[in-house]
Amino acid sequence: MWLGNPLGLKKNKNKGSISKTSHKLLKKKRKSSMPIYEAAVNNSKVLREDSGRVLQSFLPTNKKTKVSSRKEKKLCTTENTGKPRAVELTGLERNSKQHVGPSLRSVLQELGKVQNSKDRATALFEWFISPITSAEFFRNMWERKPALIRRHNTKYYDGFFSTAEFDRILREDNVQFGINLDVTSYTDGVRETHNPPGRALPMVVWDYYNSGCSLRLLNPQAFSVTVWNVLCILQELFGSMVGANMYLTPPGTQGFAPHYDDIEAFVIQLEGKKHWRVYNPRDKSEILPQFSSANFTDHNIGEPILETVLEAGDLLYFPRGFIHQGDCLPDVHSLHITVSSFQRNCWADLLDKLLPAALLIAAEEDVDYRKGLPLDYLEYMGVQNADLLDPRRSSFIEKVHTLMRKLTEYAPVDAAVDQKAKAFLHDCLPPVLTPAERDHSVYGAPVRWENGHVKDCVVKLGKDSKIRFLRGGVARLCSEGDACVLYYSTDNSRVYHKEGPKSIDVDAEDVDAVEYLLRSYPTYVTVASLPREELDNKVDVLVPWRKPKEKRVKETDRGITFYHNIVSIDGS
């Protein structure tokens, strides 16, 4: 059965293909039974240094909170099931201690001073899940089991998002029902969506809310600069798109049926309270699923492994495949944001791109794959012949196994990874530039129209000028047929896939220079150090649209007009 052509594989030089030639070009060049975690914290500061890298002075270290085994409290016992058992870990004087950390605003301000955007992402995530460290989280919880972080600090996530900001967005922005906003309800086991057509005007939206409906803003990052900034920083940590949904639920109601998702979910409680129940995957096939489930009812999901009430400042993490449902207490509303990542980002998704490419290359290079099937294979193969005792069956099956084993020799792994990277750069949000990044890029250029003339349009780029890419994850050099293309994200829309992928064709002689820049990040390097023979050629790498050379504006001192939306210049 033909499964499609996910890599755009062709035997010509068209864009989007991985051919034999490009493959050679690239050559050149949970299973855990541990308990659910609840972090009970003291009054110490929490952001740690990870991987031995010193980030910024505002990121202090702290000692691990010691938890006595005598303080463990079982929430739900699932003995002899082999599935995670929910255990609440309580700390000393748990109810009297409050976790106080730096505000989100101060964290983002300080992170703007961090040169390496990957360090920036690690530091933000440390604050995000504090007091659990990222090392502990990825070792013990990621893709394994839920984690509940209680802070007893309703202001911990202040400034991230609020109902007041949501109200402002409804009034000032063009929010569309079904595209940006869903109106939902879940009553007597029935989940319903109540989206009318057109713009979500405040009068209509708040009337639905007063009638007991939940409101889900599907892409708050398109309307909130703070949410956009947080997500675009975190995506460099995950190497996968980081998205968000906002959920506003009236008191005493529930907006969604029990279900599981195909993403890693971080539930951030911003206002009010919400009662949550989390359930184990029902069987092995639902562990780390590639797709979200249909709606369930209470009778077919078993007993919860975790039942808790999230308060403002708390965080609940659960991996994809864990069934969950949340409902509001009768006396208070709930506002939370679910931050998500790792959708369709597993080994099977990579192999989905790799195997068709390997088969195409194998069929092109190895005659064994092009030899005809036996004339009589339909007589002894197929489901109707599965129980047939015929020696020809074993010979046929062994031949298939041999060809599949040999297929690994033709697997263009790097090219398939590049296709995943290309998709990621198309998926992800554009960066919110720090003041330093803006000042040293085209976005902070002083060029303007003044008194009938263009002013400050030229920046001299000489051999001693220092350059680098704006961020570590902002660009990726990929093989496309017989060519190389640099994909980048700085011009992406804040709305998912509103526009096509952004890219620049890279000449073969410029590939080494672009690779050098990519690998040098976060260090600034001089133009003279680029692996190209002449200065003009080095500049061509950075200003590809400045061709043909005979039309280029000449500058003195071997400088030249220079700006590009993915490069930073002279960061000293």
Side-chain angles (χ1 to χ4, degrees), residues 136-299:
E136 179 185 2
F137 174 80
F138 287 112
R139 181 176 62 249
N140 296 326
M141 304 162 205
W142 175 253
E143 295 189 325
R144 292 172 181 263
K145 57 179 172 289
L148 173 60
I149 301 176
R150 294 194 183 279
R151 296 192 176 93
H152 304 285
N153 178 5
T154 60
K155 298 184 179 300
Y156 190 82
Y157 289 112
D158 272 9
F160 193 15
F161 198 79
S162 67
T163 305
E165 184 171 8
F166 174 59
D167 181 66
R168 177 196 62 77
I169 289 169
L170 291 176
R171 297 177 184 283
E172 298 178 4
D173 293 301
N174 185 14
V175 178
Q176 293 286 315
F177 284 113
I179 298 174
N180 309 115
L181 184 69
D182 282 334
V183 179
T184 68
S185 64
Y186 181 70
T187 307
D188 297 328
V190 178
R191 154 81 158 82
E192 293 184 276
T193 301
H194 309 279
N195 293 336
R199 180 174 173 180
L201 295 171
M203 182 68 185
V204 179
V205 173
W206 290 122
D207 185 54
Y208 274 120
Y209 177 84
N210 282 337
S211 300
C213 292
S214 289
L215 307 174
R216 174 172 66 177
L217 187 63
L218 296 169
N219 52 345
Q221 62 271 21
F223 306 102
S224 166
V225 173
T226 301
V227 176
W228 169 26
N229 196 8
V230 168
L231 301 187
C232 78
I233 292 174
L234 290 178
Q235 67 194 8
E236 285 208 42
L237 172 68
F238 290 102
S240 176
M241 184 190 74
V242 177
N245 285 343
M246 178 224 77
Y247 299 84
L248 179 61
T249 310
T253 68
Q254 180 170 341
F256 294 87
H259 66 283
Y260 64 73
D261 294 313
D262 59 348
I263 46 89
E264 301 297 299
F266 299 85
V267 177
I268 311 298
Q269 190 69 27
L270 300 175
E271 295 175 7
K273 300 178 182 180
K274 199 162 197 178
H275 169 229
W276 284 91
R277 285 164 285 174
V278 182
Y279 310 76
N280 273 320
R282 299 180 303 171
D283 54 51
K284 290 183 178 180
S285 68
E286 294 182 355
I287 296 174
L288 302 179
Q290 289 182 278
F291 303 97
S292 296
S293 72
N295 292 330
F296 298 124
T297 57
D298 287 335
H299 76 272

Side-chain angles (χ1 to χ4, degrees), residues 1-22:
M1 179 175 65
W2 174 241
L3 299 178
N5 191 9
L7 292 184
L9 295 165
K10 300 175 184 177
K11 291 186 180 180
N12 55 34
K13 299 182 180 181
N14 289 344
K15 235 176 158 181
S17 65
I18 294 179
S19 65
K20 174 181 174 181
T21 306
S22 62

Side-chain angles (χ1 to χ4, degrees), residues 89-110:
L89 303 183
T90 62
L92 299 178
E93 300 181 38
R94 172 177 178 270
N95 295 320
S96 62
K97 294 295 183 180
Q98 182 184 69
H99 173 61
V100 179
S103 68
L104 177 58
R105 180 180 179 181
S106 66
V107 168
L108 293 175
Q109 286 177 340
E110 290 299 321

Side-chain angles (χ1 to χ4, degrees), residues 293-486:
S293 72
N295 292 330
F296 298 124
T297 57
D298 287 335
H299 76 272
N300 62 0
I301 57 177
E303 295 295 322
I305 61 167
L306 173 65
E307 185 166 3
T308 189
V309 174
L310 283 190
E311 301 181 8
D314 294 345
L315 179 148
L316 173 62
Y317 160 79
F318 42 83
R320 54 196 189 275
F322 278 78
I323 300 167
H324 53 278
Q325 60 177 319
D327 60 277
C328 250
L329 302 182
D331 59 342
V332 64
H333 78 283
S334 168
L335 176 74
H336 79 265
I337 276 187
T338 297
V339 174
S340 62
S341 190
F342 253 58
Q343 186 178 50
R344 300 303 305 274
N345 202 45
C346 67
W347 285 102
D349 298 309
L350 176 63
L351 292 175
D352 184 54
K353 295 182 178 295
L354 178 62
L355 295 181
L359 185 58
L360 192 66
I361 294 171
E364 183 180 338
E365 297 188 2
D366 191 333
V367 70
D368 282 350
Y369 290 88
R370 302 196 300 271
K371 289 181 179 179
L373 293 166
L375 296 176
D376 57 352
Y377 81 103
L378 295 178
E379 298 176 5
Y380 53 87
M381 296 306 301
V383 175
Q384 70 181 43
N385 299 312
D387 297 328
L388 191 63
L389 298 177
D390 190 318
R392 293 176 296 175
R393 284 183 55 82
S394 58
S395 297
F396 187 95
I397 293 172
E398 179 55 33
K399 179 64 175 179
V400 171
H401 290 173
T402 298
L403 291 174
M404 290 182 68
R405 285 192 294 268
K406 192 161 61 166
L407 193 62
T408 60
E409 300 174 12
Y410 302 98
V413 178
D414 286 322
V417 168
D418 281 345
Q419 294 301 313
K420 287 287 292 177
K422 169 185 170 181
F424 164 54
L425 284 172
H426 186 206
D427 292 346
C428 69
L429 289 163
V432 178
L433 299 182
T434 67
E437 289 170 336
R438 179 171 293 276
D439 289 345
H440 295 291
S441 70
V442 65
Y443 300 99
V447 60
R448 64 196 181 281
W449 178 265
E450 186 178 286
N451 298 325
H453 300 281
V454 177
K455 298 288 187 179
D456 296 327
C457 191
V458 174
V459 169
K460 298 297 183 65
L461 185 67
K463 64 180 182 180
D464 296 325
S465 298
K466 296 178 180 180
I467 55 174
R468 73 170 192 182
F469 279 101
L470 272 174
R471 288 195 176 174
V474 80
R476 179 82 180 198
L477 189 63
C478 296
S479 153
E480 297 287 1
D482 295 335
C484 283
V485 179
L486 187 70

